Amino acid sequence: MLTITQDLYDRIVAHAREDHPDEACGVVAGPAGTDRPERFVPMLNAARSPTFYEFDSQDLLKLYRELDDRDEEPVIIYHSHTATEAYPSRTDIGYANEPGAHYVLVSTADTDGLGEFQFRSFRILDGEVTEEQVKVVQAY
């Protein structure tokens, strides 16, 4: 299960809305070994595409250096889907290389009739996708 604060949830959704119609992407870092998302790090989609996201290689290098310096790890890796449901594509699954991360997808397309946005979290390990419950809390 992913436990996330309302503030972080809202910031991820806001980023997805701001970057629409392109996919948004980013990371929420947390103290190493805690599985607790704390520091919101929106990233630039270097692909600037409505169907694909790619972290800029220089930004990614900078991020991983910061994570090392701060004894953090990527707890959440998020991106948006602009025209499909919030479910990992084959490309998303192929690029999932953080076995301990929660992969959050936000859909900015109304694909289920339940509202404009979907916010879902997945674990992706060795190509296997498992959806997990998302618990939104006011504070940890």
Side-chain angles (χ1 to χ4, degrees), residues 39-134:
R39 186 168 63 93
F40 180 69
V41 185
M43 304 283 282
L44 173 68
N45 179 354
R48 297 187 188 265
S49 168
T51 59
F52 181 75
Y53 81 97
E54 179 178 30
F55 292 124
D56 177 85
S57 59
Q58 292 292 60
D59 289 347
L60 199 56
L61 179 62
K62 180 182 171 197
L63 171 66
Y64 274 89
R65 285 183 176 154
E66 280 181 14
L67 293 174
D68 285 344
D69 290 347
R70 298 169 66 119
D71 196 26
E72 293 177 325
E73 61 190 9
V75 177
I76 295 172
I77 298 172
Y78 74 87
H79 76 281
S80 61
H81 282 183
T82 61
T84 60
E85 72 173 320
Y87 190 85
S89 67
R90 281 184 286 168
T91 303
D92 297 338
I93 295 166
Y95 283 129
N97 60 1
E98 288 287 347
H102 302 269
Y103 286 87
V104 166
L105 279 99
V106 176
S107 177
T108 56
D110 182 7
T111 59
D112 61 7
L114 298 176
E116 187 176 4
F117 292 92
Q118 294 175 348
F119 187 107
R120 297 168 74 184
S121 184
F122 304 88
R123 295 290 192 153
I124 304 174
L125 187 59
D126 297 326
E128 293 292 319
V129 177
T130 306
E131 186 165 8
E132 62 183 348
Q133 182 181 355
V134 176

Side-chain angles (χ1 to χ4, degrees), residues 29-42:
T34 67
D35 196 41
R36 190 166 85 189
E38 292 184 352
R39 186 168 63 93
F40 180 69
V41 185

